[in-house]
Amino acid sequence: MSTITNHMPTEELQALDAAHHMHPFTANGELAQKGARVITRADGVTLTDSEGNQILDAMAGLWCVNIGYGRDELADVAARQMRELPYYNTFFQTTHRPAIELAQKIAQLAPGDLNNVFFAGSGSEANDTNIRMVRHYWALKGKPSKSIIISRKNAYHGSSVGSGSLGGMSAMHEQGGLPIPDVHHINQPNWWAEGGDMSPEDFGIARAQELEQAILELGEDRVAAFIAEPVQGAGGVIVAPDSYWPEVQKICDKYEILLIADEVICGFGRTGEWFGSQKLDIRPDIMTIAKGLSSGYAPIGGSVVSDEVASVIAQSEFNHGYTYSGHPVAAAVALENLRILEEENILGHVRDVAAPYLKEKWESLVAHPLVGEAKIVGMMGSIALTPHKESRAAFAAETGTVGYICRERCFANNLVMRHVGDRMIISPPLILKPEEIDMLMDRALTSLDECYAQIKADGLLKSA
């Protein structure tokens, strides 16, 4: 019987990792020289590495461990389901109880008439589903030319060929022949970096109106859908001005464009509501879900689809699906995760305790000489690093140089805080307690101080 218990020295584990394991979004040659950090255990909001360091995980894994680590209930449910029905597909006119119950529960939690779920194994897969689904929907409605999907620059919707094309990450598009045809990108609502002399309100409306301009330029008879994250996550926790989403919703309604809200990061409590769409009063036709659906304990994702779209898709065979669509073990784990979120009132903890306290502390970071902006919605926040606050200047150094230095100082101080370019971002488990928020902030401030001292010493505190 194999074991996952760490019984080798860190150096041996790192050598084996470098020899055989290709990491995602990584220059693997560089990592082989440096050596990966080996995580061995986790509990609550704390990771333990192979050297015994206790690390506060302010990213909840990859935005996903909403209920925190170490919940035996999910392990017990997974083991029970594996013994009863470890796997069966939902092709060939078959189904099983975990998929049925999870679909029903998601429909109950989702807003409006989003009562139908097409399961996938991840958010990337779900967004690939959405490409196929919205195009098939319009074809069944007698409008097969409506195939263009509009997205945003610097959006993240996954890393498969389809979902990576939907996303607006230029570094991803440079590899592998992306984007695929009939995907069009408009500018993001990032006032800090791109707002110039406009007020946030005017900028939000202007960026929303780029959607209408794109529809008119491409042709209303060609545009199928607009996809966006309620709050851009991997793009740097970009929170749109308040004027943005009402204008986007109005445009989608005016031109009968399907609105896809990518809730992979925002969903299942991260904003203090079940979904970011509820927090920002968005009325999507489709929501993409994953991550917090199972708190990362099992890989699962899906598309939550309106009654209108589902009824049209139901008219013919939808030639699409995955081996693991509605996997019974993943579905059972997700159900247990949702039970914990609901019965332990974790969303109430976010709204009433964690998010208000974190907001107060997080926004105070603008007093630091390196921080120009601090944005936060619920349990996801970002700070913009700048050499000159008043002008919202970027650094003269290559984008991400200072952010990487800050991230390395965070790791050294046993804090997982990620950098996106020269923005630092957090997305901690929803169960974070006030005393853990204090610890997070102490480590963040120490890391910012050390970063500031280092870039001053290295001559990097210069505006572009």
Side-chain angles (χ1 to χ4, degrees):
M1 180 178 175
S2 64
T3 176
I4 59 170
T5 301
N6 174 32
H7 61 283
M8 288 186 283
T10 298
E11 293 79 8
E12 288 185 36
L13 290 165
Q14 289 173 329
L16 284 170
D17 186 75
H20 305 293
H21 182 196
M22 298 176 71
H23 291 249
F25 285 92
T26 298
N28 281 279
E30 291 180 17
L31 181 62
Q33 295 296 316
K34 183 179 180 180
R37 196 168 201 169
V38 181
I39 304 301
T40 57
R41 301 187 64 82
D43 184 65
V45 302
T46 304
L47 307 169
T48 303
D49 70 12
S50 54
E51 296 296 295
N53 293 303
Q54 301 283 300
I55 308 153
L56 197 161
D57 183 8
M59 284 305 303
L62 271 177
W63 318 82
C64 55
V65 189
N66 288 10
I67 64 169
Y69 297 96
R71 294 299 299 249
D72 289 341
E73 301 96 321
L74 274 67
D76 294 341
V77 161
R80 185 164 64 246
Q81 186 60 48
M82 282 187 177
R83 293 187 180 99
E84 185 176 303
L85 179 67
Y87 171 76
Y88 200 68
N89 66 77
T90 54
F91 292 47
F92 314 126
Q93 302 179 23
T94 61
T95 191
H96 48 71
R97 188 169 169 179
I100 295 167
E101 292 185 359
L102 181 58
Q104 178 192 34
K105 186 62 183 177
I106 292 168
Q108 177 192 328
L109 296 174
D113 67 343
L114 296 167
N115 293 315
N116 313 272
V117 186
F118 192 104
F119 285 114
S122 67
S124 291
E125 287 184 2
N127 276 325
D128 276 16
T129 296
N130 294 338
I131 296 172
R132 299 275 316 274
M133 188 178 291
V134 299
R135 290 174 174 172
H136 187 48
Y137 167 83
W138 287 114
L140 288 170
K141 299 262 288 184
K143 299 179 180 180
S145 66
K146 287 176 77 74
S147 61
I148 297 174
I149 300 174
I150 299 174
S151 182
R152 304 186 294 195
K153 297 174 183 176
N154 198 38
Y156 187 84
H157 296 298
S159 63
S160 60
V161 172
S163 63
S165 296
L166 289 180
M169 301 284 185
S170 58
M172 292 175 66
H173 289 180
E174 290 166 2
Q175 301 174 351
L178 305 184
I180 60 173
D182 283 356
V183 176
H184 179 83
H185 295 89
I186 59 175
N187 287 309
Q188 63 177 334
N190 183 351
W191 175 81
W192 168 263
E194 301 174 10
D197 294 330
M198 298 178 74
S199 69
E201 181 181 9
D202 289 345
F203 175 75
I205 291 172
R207 282 291 158 98
Q209 287 175 346
E210 286 193 21
L211 174 59
E212 183 168 35
Q213 293 162 18
I215 293 167
L216 295 174
E217 289 169 10
L218 296 165
E220 186 181 349
D221 61 335
R222 294 280 289 118
V223 178
F226 174 62
I227 184 169
E229 306 151 88
V231 175
Q232 285 168 256
V237 186
I238 306 301
V239 183
D242 291 343
S243 57
Y244 178 80
W245 273 110
E247 188 71 11
V248 165
Q249 185 70 63
K250 187 165 66 177
I251 292 164
C252 289
D253 293 345
K254 177 180 178 180
Y255 293 99
E256 296 186 320
I257 303 302
L258 295 178
L259 176 55
I260 306 169
D262 187 331
E263 294 271 5
V264 169
I265 287 173
C266 295
F268 303 103
R270 183 143 304 280
T271 66
E273 302 291 342
W274 279 104
F275 298 98
S277 295
Q278 295 163 313
K279 179 78 170 180
L280 299 176
D281 197 25
I282 305 166
R283 291 181 283 102
D285 299 284
I286 299 172
M287 293 194 313
T288 317
I289 56 171
K291 294 189 185 292
L293 173 57
S294 68
S295 283
Y297 279 63
I300 188 169
S303 304
V304 193
V305 182
S306 71
D307 289 339
E308 154 66 15
V309 173
S311 67
V312 171
I313 295 296
Q315 293 173 16
S316 68
E317 183 173 347
F318 185 35
N319 296 315
H320 176 76
Y322 306 104
T323 300
Y324 300 123
S325 292
H327 190 287
V329 176
V333 168
L335 270 167
E336 182 65 8
N337 173 65
L338 296 181
R339 182 196 67 78
I340 288 170
L341 282 168
E342 199 165 37
E343 292 187 9
E344 297 186 7
N345 193 26
I346 290 174
L347 272 68
H349 170 75
V350 170
R351 285 193 301 266
D352 301 334
V353 180
Y357 190 60
L358 181 59
K359 178 180 171 69
E360 175 192 340
K361 296 289 187 179
W362 190 253
E363 290 180 343
S364 72
L365 289 174
V366 293
H368 194 278
L370 198 54
V371 177
E373 176 190 58
K375 301 295 285 187
I376 189 161
V377 176
M379 300 296 281
M380 55 193 304
S382 64
I383 49 175
L385 307 183
T386 178
H388 190 259
K389 295 171 186 266
E390 290 74 18
S391 62
R392 309 203 304 272
F395 290 95
E398 182 181 352
T399 300
T401 301
V402 173
Y404 180 78
I405 291 169
C406 189
R407 191 200 77 168
E408 290 297 278
R409 296 320 309 153
C410 291
F411 270 118
N413 291 308
N414 288 331
L415 173 67
V416 178
M417 183 161 71
R418 183 172 163 184
H419 83 109
V420 176
D422 293 317
R423 290 184 82 90
M424 304 303 299
I425 61 177
I426 61 165
S427 173
L430 308 187
I431 60 168
L432 205 64
K433 302 184 183 77
E435 58 268 27
E436 292 165 336
I437 292 173
D438 289 339
M439 184 188 300
L440 188 164
M441 297 305 302
D442 286 345
R443 295 181 184 182
L445 277 167
T446 297
S447 302
L448 285 167
D449 287 344
E450 291 173 0
C451 176
Y452 187 62
Q454 183 174 334
I455 66 172
K456 278 181 72 176
D458 292 347
L460 295 174
L461 197 63
K462 296 176 182 175
S463 300

